[in-house]
Structure formats: C-alpha cells, structure tokens
Amino acid sequence: MTRPRPPHGPAPHGAPHAHRGSLQRRLILAALVLVTVALVVAGVAIGFILHRFVRGQLDSRLDSQIVAIASSLERGRDGRLALGRNLDGPPFDRDRSGWSWQVRQGDALLRSGSLEGRDLTVPEDDRPDGGGRHRDRPRPGDAVDPWGNPVILRILALPDAAGIGPATIVASAPVAALRGPVREASLTLALILAVLGLCLLAGLVVQVRLGLRPLERLRRDLAEIRAGKRAQVPETQPAEIRPLVREVNALLGENAANLERARTHVANLAHGLKTPLATLTMALRDGERDPDGRLTTLVSGMDGQIRHHLRRARSAALGGATRERTALEAPVADLRSTFARLYAEKGIAFSVEVADGIAVACDGQDVDEMLGNLIDNACRWCRARVRIAAALNQRGVTITVEDDGPGLDADAAAGVLGRGKRLDETVPGHGFGLSITTELAELYGGTLRLDRGSFHGLRARLDLPR
C-alpha cells in the first residue's frame, strides 16, 4: 500500500517542525557534533598513546631482565649454560603470576621459579633450531603461559651464549599488567574528557547566545520602529550587522518620504474637494433648487465615491513599514488651552485626566483634528464643565470627552454622526466635525461612540490603537 506523500510548500505558522530553522539551535547542534567528534578522536588518540607508553614501560622492564640474564650466563661444570647468580627477584618470584623468564639452548632449559618447572611457548622462528634470525635487541611477542593465561613476551636470540652455542632468552609479563593501568587511565581520561566536553558545550552555548544577541537587539529596534518609538535603527552595531542596518535605515527613509508625499497629495485633494461639496450640499437643501432631489442624490454619490477613494489612498499611505506614535498629554494640554481662550466668555471648567506615557498609533495631525472636533463640540454645547480623559484598555486607548450640556438621546446620537448632519441650525458650523472624526478613527481601526456621560450631557468615546 502506497503511503500518501506529504504536501509541498512551507509549513504553517506554529507547526512543530517550524522551529527547525532556529539559527541558535543549528549553531549549538553543529558545535555539539564537532565537539563530540573532537573529544572522541582525542580520547582514541590519547588512549593509543597511553597503551604505547605502558607497553613501552613493560618492554623496558622485560628487556632489563633479559640483559641481566644475558650478562649472567656462563659455562657450567657439565659444559652446559648456567647462571652465575639468582635472578628470581620480584615480581619474577611469584608463582603463576605471568612474570617469568626462560633460557633455551638446544634441549637445555633455564627457568624462573614462577614457571614451576614448565616451559614457555616461544614462536618457532625464534628458537635456535628453528632457523630464526639473530637480533641485537629483543623483539616483542605474544603467547600464553603454561596455565593458558595470555602474556607479553620479549625475545632475544643470542648467536653464541657463553661461547658454547646459540641460545634464546625469553622474558614474559602478564597482559593484565598492560590492560590494568591502561583501563584505569582510560576511565580517568573519559571522566576528564566528559567534564571538558560539558565545559566546552556550556561555553559554546554562551558564545552562540552572545554572538546572536545583536540580532535580538536588532529585532527589538525594528519592533520599536514599528510601534513608532523610534524612526531608524541605531548604527552602533557590530561590523557584520552594520551594512544590514544601513540598508534597513535607507529603506525606512524611502518609505517615510513616500508616505509623506502620499499624505500630502491626499490632504491636498481632500481640502480641494471638501469645500465645494459642502457648499453644494448646503445650497441644495433649498427645495426650489432641487425640487426632485436628483442633484442631491448625485452630490451624495460623488461625496461617497470621493470619500471612499481618499480613504483607500490614505490607508495605503499609512500601511508602510512604520507607524506613527503620538503621546496624548501634550496635544490635550494645547487644545485645552486653545479652547479655553476661544470660549473664555463661558468660563468653562476643564477637567483633564490623561496619564503620562499614554500614546496612540496615529499621526499627530490626525490626533489634533479628532480631539479638536470633539473638544470644540463639547465646548459649544456645554454649560460650564468639560471633562477630557484617556485610559488604556485591552485593545488600545479610550479617549473620553464629555460635557454638562443637554446631551442627545440614542437616535439623535446615531444620526448626528452622518456627514453634514446638524441638530440645531442656529448654532454656527457645517456639521462635518463628528463625521470627519469618525472617518479618521475608522482609518486607524478605531471607533467613535456617543452616549450620555456622568455630567448627564453628551459623552464622546474615541477608541484608537495603542
């Protein structure tokens, strides 16, 4: 049965294997593999050197025994080889210990006491009668002792021992004398290498994190640019990242210039069309000029189309790589001072409750226009009190402007947000302030709501992104 093939294409966001692209994890895994391979190679190499060192020590000890035996050989009374002194010193005096020596000349044998009268098996090519080659130095060999235990041999073939013919001197040591020290040293070496590996791995993790820290700082800088807290990425970066930062700053500068040009064109078009359309709308309210309402319908359609395309153009201009950030404290204070002078004859008592640090992701001019329309409307209809407040919520910032005027019921509050709608024709104005504020709020993804406030007058609640 054929298994279905997985779909091609990028993994969805949040998929389990989406994290395989982590640069930090990739560097740590690569370093871990390289460190492990290096430690294994080092362990094998050091183990080989230890083995050769211990083997060299054993060979030197056996060679010293062979030299002592060769220098002590002499002709006995019966004409055969004999030893001039006893050479069964430690460790060659321990029975069945593997430490032993043997001299063979024909059928005659001289042995250490540890062999208990038994023979060591010597490779055939080193026996005097086996055609072996004579050497000036002992050669290595491997064999088993008479009890079947593996031993290490050193063999010296003498061409003429004590002047009575060729002989072979053999000295042996147990394999345990080699493997034991090597095993103990290897265990210690493995422990040291493991500790060294952990230290290297910890150092590599710290090094990778320190090396990638500029990238994390760059990410935070870009996030601050997107939030409107800064205009460009600081160029005080490592040399490897500095070219990237320069390119990003150049791109941000181009986007800002394009944004400014687009906003200028949109503003010019909006101001150029707003006044003629408002004049036509006001003129056509006279029934004699438009008895059947056709002209009013056409003007409303033109107004809707123009507003629609202006909103799209402005949204595209604001949808760049950066977002504006405007703190509310300063514009609220300026507007309060301005309208206090404009409506000085009313003696309005302003209450401002805007905490430090509250900011919205909107252009400063748009913030001034929205707040100016709301505060102007409140000052126009209030009796003596106007309250301005701003507070954070889960989605953004809520700006509240309320007065102690007559207020509006629910139906009137919904109707007054329409373009050119005025509830009292005796009060100066064109009726565009609240509708413009609504449009600007919607442009940034916000809303404008009207209801009754704590002063029993009109309360405008403007929600804008943080």
Side-chain angles (χ1 to χ4, degrees):
M1 181 177 179
T2 304
R3 296 184 179 178
R5 299 178 66 183
H8 297 284
H13 180 71
H17 60 279
H19 299 288
R20 294 179 183 176
S22 170
L23 185 59
Q24 176 174 305
R25 180 174 299 181
R26 185 180 303 175
L27 291 174
I28 292 177
L29 288 178
L32 177 61
V33 171
L34 293 177
V35 168
T36 302
V37 171
L39 291 179
V40 169
V41 172
V44 172
I46 296 175
F48 177 74
I49 294 172
L50 284 174
H51 185 277
R52 292 197 60 182
F53 176 78
V54 176
R55 179 65 184 261
Q57 295 295 313
L58 287 177
D59 290 345
S60 298
R61 189 168 190 177
L62 294 178
D63 290 350
S64 298
Q65 184 69 13
I66 290 175
V67 170
I69 294 172
S71 62
S72 300
L73 289 177
E74 59 184 24
R75 183 190 297 270
R77 294 179 181 179
D78 55 359
R80 295 186 176 184
L81 283 178
L83 289 176
R85 56 193 177 96
N86 183 16
L87 295 176
D88 281 347
F92 295 94
D93 58 346
R94 297 197 297 267
D95 295 341
R96 302 187 181 186
S97 62
W99 293 94
S100 61
W101 56 267
Q102 173 182 288
V103 181
R104 178 184 290 274
Q105 187 183 48
D107 295 333
L109 286 175
L110 298 175
R111 310 181 186 88
S112 63
S114 59
L115 289 176
E116 297 180 351
R118 302 187 184 188
D119 295 345
L120 275 175
T121 302
V122 181
E124 291 292 336
D125 62 343
D126 280 291
R127 292 185 179 182
D129 55 355
R133 293 174 297 172
H134 300 294
R135 297 177 177 88
D136 295 334
R137 298 179 59 186
R139 78 166 188 90
D142 295 306
V144 293
D145 64 9
W147 298 275
N149 300 317
V151 292
I152 298 170
L153 301 180
R154 294 292 288 179
I155 306 167
L156 178 63
L158 297 177
D160 187 9
I164 58 175
T168 301
I169 304 175
V170 180
S172 70
V175 173
L178 171 64
R179 295 178 179 174
V182 172
R183 184 183 302 110
E184 293 179 2
S186 298
L187 291 176
T188 304
L189 174 64
L191 179 60
I192 293 175
L193 290 179
V195 174
L196 177 62
L198 292 176
C199 294
L200 287 175
L201 181 60
L204 286 171
V205 171
V206 173
Q207 181 180 2
V208 168
R209 291 188 175 180
L210 289 177
L212 295 180
R213 184 170 294 178
L215 294 180
E216 175 63 21
R217 185 166 58 248
L218 179 61
R219 184 198 64 80
R220 291 196 300 267
D221 292 337
L222 292 175
E224 291 181 355
I225 291 174
R226 184 174 179 83
K229 296 181 180 179
R230 63 170 70 240
Q232 287 189 331
V233 180
E235 293 195 6
T236 55
Q237 305 286 345
E240 294 78 7
I241 302 179
R242 201 173 300 134
L244 174 62
V245 171
R246 290 172 182 167
E247 292 296 329
V248 171
N249 286 337
L251 179 60
L252 292 173
E254 292 179 3
N255 287 344
N258 293 334
L259 173 63
E260 186 62 30
R261 284 194 295 268
R263 287 179 58 84
T264 301
H265 293 320
V266 170
N268 292 338
L269 182 59
H271 286 293
L273 295 176
K274 181 171 65 174
T275 302
L277 284 177
T279 303
L280 284 174
T281 302
M282 297 297 295
L284 292 176
R285 287 186 179 182
D286 185 358
E288 296 181 357
R289 297 183 178 182
D290 186 21
D292 55 0
R294 294 178 59 188
L295 294 178
T296 302
T297 303
L298 290 175
V299 171
S300 297
M302 292 171 58
D303 179 58
Q305 289 292 325
I306 291 172
R307 289 168 57 196
H308 170 71
H309 290 289
L310 286 178
R311 188 183 303 112
R312 290 186 60 185
R314 195 169 189 182
S315 297
L318 292 176
T322 60
R323 300 189 68 177
E324 296 286 343
R325 180 181 185 273
T326 302
L328 292 178
E329 185 180 10
V332 168
D334 293 341
L335 290 171
R336 174 190 178 280
S337 176
T338 299
F339 285 106
R341 291 193 299 269
L342 290 176
Y343 293 92
E345 71 281 359
K346 279 192 169 185
I348 301 174
F350 287 91
S351 174
V352 179
E353 301 174 9
V354 179
D356 296 341
I358 295 182
V360 293
C362 304
D363 179 71
Q365 294 181 0
D366 292 338
V367 171
D368 289 340
E369 186 169 0
M370 288 186 286
L371 293 181
N373 290 333
L374 296 180
I375 298 174
D376 182 30
N377 188 76
C379 292
R380 185 176 299 164
W381 292 99
C382 75
R383 294 188 179 91
R385 300 173 63 187
V386 173
R387 176 175 175 268
I388 307 169
L392 299 176
N393 55 47
Q394 294 181 350
R395 295 184 178 180
V397 178
T398 298
I399 304 172
T400 304
V401 179
E402 59 179 309
D403 59 74
D404 60 351
L408 298 173
D409 56 26
D411 294 336
V416 79
L417 294 179
R419 190 172 183 85
K421 299 294 184 179
R422 300 173 59 201
L423 297 183
D424 190 347
E425 299 292 341
T426 63
V427 179
H430 299 286
F432 290 97
L434 294 180
S435 64
I436 291 175
T437 302
T438 302
E439 291 179 9
L440 289 175
E442 291 175 351
L443 177 64
Y444 291 100
T447 59
L448 176 63
R449 294 170 293 170
L450 302 178
D451 56 11
R452 284 194 175 272
S454 58
F455 297 160
H456 304 289
L458 181 66
R459 177 174 59 184
R461 301 181 63 180
L462 179 63
D463 291 321
L464 295 174
R466 195 185 320 183

